[in-house]
Amino acid sequence: MAVSIENKVKKTISNYKTGKIFFPSDFSKIGTSTAIRQALNRLEDNKFLLRLAHGIYLYPKKHQVFGILYPSIEEIAIAIAKRDKARIIPTGIHALNKLGLSTQVPMNIIYLTDGSSRSIKVNNGSIKFKKASPKLLSVKSDKVILIIQALKELGQKNITLKVKERIKQILLTVDKDLIIHDAKLAPQWITQIVKELIEL
């Protein structure tokens, strides 16, 4: 029976391209949670799977020169959010990096979420999910939400002309009605900057 479940799990995984992230819940129709966990452990022992963190597995993609290609911390966070059907919002240095305002790639990423709060250790870094305020979650544009988080990280006194220029470029790609709606939900000084940039 155990071997049968292991084979079914392996077959299911083999239907996907290498590089995909899996969770025990992906195999809930195959067997009990205990049987699935045991099957995943055996597949890890056989090097068919790699465990990235507790309950998070990688169907490894191998490169001739670089060896195993690991997913980024962001890719793991997105996979977790997709599994949990949760929304996640990048914060801090990560938000700055995504907007092209920083070249620093953080190893410890904090996301605001409407899902569960938790911390997960991954490789050399960590992912932290923190409950977002209902007000922030009512922001409609993902780009505006990133801008709000990036400006919060920089702080009011550190908003240079270069930063404003970059943010203006991004705002030009967002519907003006969405910007007006979302800007009202930001701290007042950020609302003011956004209004100035779209010349309201």
Side-chain angles (χ1 to χ4, degrees):
M1 183 69 179
V3 173
S4 169
I5 288 173
E6 184 183 333
N7 287 340
K8 285 179 183 175
V9 170
K10 190 174 183 178
K11 192 177 176 185
T12 302
I13 292 167
S14 300
N15 287 331
Y16 292 89
K17 288 182 178 176
T18 53
K20 183 168 169 59
I21 295 165
F22 287 94
F23 304 94
S25 55
D26 294 328
F27 311 100
S28 56
K29 291 177 182 174
I30 294 174
T32 65
S33 57
T34 303
I36 296 300
R37 229 177 5 255
Q38 287 170 350
L40 291 170
N41 286 341
R42 281 194 295 273
L43 290 170
E44 182 195 353
D45 290 342
N46 296 334
K47 306 285 192 285
F48 181 76
L49 284 178
L50 271 176
R51 188 157 69 154
L52 297 172
H54 179 69
I56 306 173
Y57 297 86
L58 176 70
Y59 183 27
K61 185 176 186 175
K62 288 165 188 167
H63 188 278
Q64 283 182 329
V65 178
F66 303 111
I68 292 164
L69 300 176
Y70 287 89
S72 67
I73 290 177
E74 182 179 26
E75 285 167 332
I76 297 167
I78 290 168
I80 293 167
K82 196 173 173 184
R83 178 197 65 184
D84 297 347
K85 296 180 175 62
R87 187 177 182 188
I88 56 173
I89 301 160
T91 67
I93 301 288
H94 186 40
L96 291 171
N97 180 271
K98 284 183 74 66
L99 291 177
L101 291 168
S102 169
T103 54
Q104 194 178 334
V105 180
M107 290 305 293
N108 303 302
I109 298 179
I110 299 171
Y111 288 94
L112 299 176
T113 184
D114 57 358
S116 306
S117 297
R118 76 187 88 163
S119 290
I120 298 160
K121 288 200 175 297
V122 184
N123 298 336
N124 301 320
S126 67
I127 304 165
K128 188 171 188 178
F129 296 106
K130 286 172 71 178
K131 274 280 185 191
S133 69
K135 184 180 176 184
L136 187 61
L137 286 164
S138 59
V139 172
K140 292 177 179 177
S141 164
D142 289 342
K143 287 180 181 175
V144 175
I145 219 166
L146 264 183
I147 287 166
I148 292 169
Q149 293 306 313
L151 292 177
K152 276 185 185 174
E153 175 67 15
L154 287 171
Q156 191 171 358
K157 292 176 182 175
N158 301 310
I159 311 302
T160 62
L161 273 174
K162 192 177 176 184
V163 168
K164 286 185 177 180
E165 273 304 312
R166 175 66 189 138
I167 287 169
K168 187 171 184 176
Q169 281 176 359
I170 297 160
L171 289 171
L172 287 170
T173 67
V174 182
D175 182 276
K176 207 165 187 176
D177 289 341
L178 286 182
I179 298 171
I180 293 164
H181 172 274
D182 292 352
K184 290 174 186 170
L185 302 168
Q188 197 173 355
W189 66 272
I190 293 177
T191 306
Q192 201 52 47
I193 289 171
V194 171
K195 282 184 173 179
E196 283 169 18
L197 294 175
I198 59 167
E199 293 162 353
L200 283 178

